Amino acid sequence: MWPELLQKAKNGGLDVIQTYVFWNGHEPYPGQYYFEGRYDLVGFIKLVAKAGLYVHLRIGPYVCAEWNFGGFPIWLKYVPDMVFRTDNEPFKASRRLGICSDKVHTEQWCSAYINYYMFHGGTNFGRTAGGPFISTSYDYDALIDEYGLTREPKYSHLTALHKAIRLCEPALVSANPIRMSLGKNQEAHVFDTQSGTCAAFLSNYDPNYFVNVTFRNRQYGLLPWSITILPDCQEPSFNTAMVVAPKFTVKMEPAKKFSWHSYTEKVPSTNDKSSFISTRLLEQLNVTKDASDYLWYTTEVNIRADDALLKNGNLPVLLHVLSAGHALQVFINGQLSGTAYGGFENPKLSFIGQVKLIAGINKISLLSITVGLPNVGLHFETWDAGILGPVKLDLLNGRLWNDLSQWKWSYKIGVEGETLRLYSFKGSSSVKWAQGSSVPRKKSLTWYKTTFDSPEGRDPLALDMSSMGKGQIWINGQSIGRYWATYNATGSCNNKCRYSGTYHEKKCLVGCGEASQKWYHVPRSWLHPKGNLLVVFEEQGGDPSGISLMRRIIQKNM
């Protein structure tokens, strides 16, 4: 997509393309470098040069970017005596990529550019989105949307602004501005040079009223909350509040439905060959090194058949689990008994739920799930994930029956389907998949697969995942990333949106109560003409019959 995106950026009036360099993408393991595929940094820079644009390279080492771990590789966390983003010798010594000398960094280096955030944000594919609780979209309502389409009327309106600014360039770079009052809430900023070139910006700060002003013996009508640009200090060429742009509607249109096969993930046993034992609760990242979102914690509780506490063959108790986040699923004897999620600002979570234990051996399996590692904050190398305890069983009368925190726990990294690579063509053939009426709906820890032919045309594509809960998606073995269709946007939406007046982040909110992300970008370059493999791993329980492949189309309004 890069050449077309760069050309649209240039056509829109940009001079410079600024991009991050993601350390964890280029050095996933110490001394092992990767600059291929969408991490082909040199190839990207050459394409920018070919388009006649400059590059401003943000080499890091830290980039934030709502990117997993802020761009730091996970191995950096485990360098002895490591402290992130400070005058720390291990941190400075670890800055690699052939440049990160402690005298070279671009963490706060934006130079003197006037930046857009974002002109095009794109998609964080795979497990690269950080946060936590960010899925894949990095769209930010940008001028070029996530799918590579121009967003109107914003794109055309700001393209016209850029042209007007260019007309003012000789004056802007040759003179300092002089501010002149034109009224109570009106003023002019004038760039007047000795050579005779001149540019002026006439501002009306009143959010409600049109005003006539006099500037250099001429009358100008200023719209509310607007700036009028005069490239020659005489004739207006642009007004910020006067939007003249093509009338287009962008919409999603169904392109394909699917017929699904399914495979149900097994809850691991305590003697699983790929498991190991510890007599304490272990922090998740220390175990997984972020190789997977998933870590199983499993222990056993033995209830004697003659225990006086048993009622009707079972023992109702309250299970308490305290976790550093981000998500948790509780299984008792292989059956899902509850879920819990942390919040965006505070990923820590607490699960308290009634469970029923039976006479004999009871298996308590806790699936701890990360949803992107922190990307911002003080010393986030010290942040934890996973179940740190306590884990307790209480009788319903509130009396502590057992504290399991120091019991023998079995650990398994990842889920079985990841180990089997069910998302790949080869791996998907290694198990027997259910089909037809045997395909379950609303069942947790279920893998779904289908094959499909690529839709004709060049329209961008996306998956509508609104019928699903939470999980991950793969196309032809490549990770689209995490989806979380049941994670709803919160806030106070306002149907009567006006941008006049001072801006604040809660102004003109839309989509409150709806899925924070419904559509998930599928790059056409990842597809074959025929026989594409789509694999979905559903954690919560969703209905795959509602998944659709959608076209993103631009429709011109009549």
Side-chain angles (χ1 to χ4, degrees), residues 436-451:
S437 59
S438 299
V439 174
R441 301 180 182 181
K442 304 295 182 181
K443 185 174 178 58
S444 63
L445 301 189
T446 302
W447 293 82
Y448 297 99
K449 77 165 184 177
T450 189
T451 55

Side-chain angles (χ1 to χ4, degrees), residues 307-323:
D307 197 309
L309 295 174
L310 285 173
K311 295 180 179 179
N312 302 320
N314 59 61
L315 173 62
V317 296
L318 284 177
L319 174 65
H320 300 250
V321 182
L322 186 64
S323 172

Side-chain angles (χ1 to χ4, degrees), residues 152-213:
E152 297 293 0
K154 183 181 293 187
Y155 179 85
S156 293
H157 185 58
L158 291 177
T159 297
L161 168 64
H162 301 153
K163 290 179 180 177
I165 295 294
R166 282 190 191 281
L167 293 174
C168 300
E169 182 177 348
L172 294 179
V173 300
S174 303
N176 292 319
I178 298 173
R179 188 175 71 175
M180 301 170 51
S181 175
L182 301 177
K184 180 179 179 181
N185 292 307
Q186 296 77 38
E187 63 184 24
H189 294 251
V190 185
F191 295 77
D192 205 351
T193 70
Q194 294 181 353
S195 62
T197 58
C198 183
F201 298 78
L202 311 185
S203 303
N204 180 13
Y205 298 119
D206 193 301
N208 299 308
Y209 296 105
F210 178 95
V211 177
N212 286 306
V213 299

Side-chain angles (χ1 to χ4, degrees), residues 19 38 89 107 137 171 181 207 305 312 317 375 392 394 420 441:
T19 184
R38 63 181 185 272
E89 291 304 321
E107 180 172 326
S137 178
S181 175
N312 302 320
V317 296
N375 64 286
K392 300 184 296 183
D394 289 354
L420 296 174
R441 301 180 182 181

Side-chain angles (χ1 to χ4, degrees), residues 376-398:
V376 68
L378 294 175
H379 304 304
F380 59 84
E381 76 279 1
T382 64
W383 293 16
D384 294 323
I387 302 165
L388 302 181
V391 177
K392 300 184 296 183
L393 288 172
D394 289 354
L395 296 175
L396 291 183
N397 61 13

Side-chain angles (χ1 to χ4, degrees), residues 20-30 32-35 38-39 59-77 84 94 96-97 100 124-125 127-130 289-290 372-375 380 482:
Y20 299 117
V21 178
F22 300 100
W23 186 1
N24 54 5
H26 294 297
E27 193 181 13
Y29 304 99
Q32 297 183 26
Y33 302 109
Y34 183 76
F35 286 86
R38 63 181 185 272
Y39 289 102
I59 62 174
Y62 168 75
V63 296
C64 187
E66 287 70 59
W67 188 270
N68 200 49
F69 228 35
F72 288 142
I74 191 66
W75 55 260
L76 193 68
K77 174 181 170 73
F84 287 177
S94 297
R96 297 169 181 264
L97 295 179
C100 292
N124 286 344
F125 294 111
R127 296 170 54 248
T128 59
K289 300 298 189 289
D290 199 35
L373 302 186
N375 64 286
F380 59 84
R482 306 180 187 93

